[in-house]
Amino acid sequence: MNIVLENIKKRRSIRKYKEIQIESEKIDAIIEAGLYAPSGHNAQPWHFTVLQNKNMIDQISLGTKEALKDCETPIFRRMARNENLHFLYNAPTVIIVSGKNDGAYSMKTDLGAATQNMLLAAESLGVSTCWIGLIVEYFKGEENKKRNEEIGIPEGYEVQYAVTLGYSSLEKTPTSLARKENTVNYIK
Ligand SMILES: Cc1cc2nc3c(=O)[nH]c(=O)nc-3n(C[C@H](O)[C@H](O)[C@H](O)COP(=O)(O)O)c2cc1C
């Protein structure tokens, strides 16, 4: 099968990583894939922060737990109160995806395209990933501006997603999840 199609079907979210770091050339290639995503009006409204500082990664997980521990969504509340859960799965590398909304088009959609490009590039290089949305809670709001500055998010950009990256330490690679039925129709 064509390798792009194969990667799309093979990719799964992996939440358990070996402690070894990913080669920097692979990270550069993954970031480049993000940079080459399409964007509305070619706005390229993204910024990528490659985090490999364990203390900072742990702090984002802890801060997310704190932000979600009393939230209204039961599943997030349960996750936040689970002592064993690391919101970034102790990954050796985390890419924080932030964006600037200049009002021209949908920044979040553009960032989603860039994020998916990075997941697929990583898959093609044998690097496992998980797309993370929940860490947004740690960065959002005027009062948390300092947290954005600490990790070099440019002025006016908001954190939207993160991607955890590492080599899987799962014994068995999970297979694709079943797809919902009746989600396509054709008109000729
Ligand atoms: C926008 C978005 C946000 C997500 N946020 C999280 C998250 O915070 N934590 C997590 O473990 N997985 C997160 N995921 C991963 C999904 O849970 C996962 O993609 C889904 O269960 C399907 O599994 P698969 O990726 O293995 O096909 C997120 C995925 C997307 C697209």
Side-chain angles (χ1 to χ4, degrees):
M1 198 196 290
N2 166 302
I3 187 153
V4 176
L5 298 178
E6 199 179 317
N7 276 327
I8 289 170
K9 289 188 78 174
K10 236 176 54 194
R11 182 215 55 81
R12 289 296 313 278
S13 295
I14 300 296
R15 300 178 174 90
K16 205 165 173 226
Y17 302 102
K18 293 181 181 159
E19 281 183 20
I20 49 170
Q21 191 50 276
I22 311 162
E23 300 82 344
S24 57
E25 313 82 72
K26 288 194 179 179
I27 293 171
D28 292 346
I30 292 164
I31 291 285
E32 191 173 37
L35 291 170
Y36 273 81
S39 58
H41 297 292
N42 191 29
Q44 302 182 35
W46 40 62
H47 181 86
F48 305 106
T49 303
V50 181
L51 258 186
Q52 293 182 321
N53 178 309
K54 181 159 171 45
N55 287 340
M56 282 189 169
I57 292 173
D58 289 347
Q59 180 50 45
I60 293 170
S61 170
L62 280 173
T64 304
K65 281 190 161 181
E66 190 55 34
L68 290 174
K69 74 179 194 322
D70 296 317
C71 76
E72 284 181 7
T73 316
I75 185 174
F76 297 159
R77 220 168 39 231
R78 269 201 306 280
M79 287 170 83
R81 292 176 184 199
N82 176 352
E83 276 180 27
N84 299 320
L85 181 88
H86 191 290
F87 271 92
L88 293 164
Y89 304 111
N90 292 299
T93 297
V94 175
I95 300 175
I96 306 282
V97 183
S98 57
K100 186 171 181 165
N101 209 338
D102 62 7
Y105 219 75
S106 173
M107 175 264 277
K108 271 195 181 188
T109 307
D110 299 340
L111 266 48
T115 302
Q116 179 67 1
N117 264 15
M118 292 194 287
L119 300 195
L120 293 178
E123 179 72 29
S124 78
L125 296 168
V127 174
S128 295
T129 58
C130 186
W131 183 325
I132 308 287
L134 291 171
I135 53 111
V136 166
E137 300 305 321
Y138 177 64
F139 291 98
K140 77 176 175 200
E142 226 3 68
E143 71 279 16
N144 293 329
K145 238 176 145 185
K146 204 162 155 275
R147 294 174 180 165
N148 291 260
E149 282 165 21
E150 266 165 16
I151 60 161
I153 308 291
E155 178 74 31
Y157 283 65
E158 292 165 29
V159 173
Q160 298 293 341
Y161 309 119
V163 179
T164 57
L165 301 106
Y167 290 108
S168 170
S169 67
L170 295 178
E171 274 163 30
K172 218 171 142 236
T173 307
T175 49
S176 307
L177 295 170
R179 296 291 117 181
K180 283 187 180 171
E181 289 182 7
N182 303 319
T183 58
V184 186
N185 73 317
Y186 297 88
I187 298 173
K188 292 184 180 169

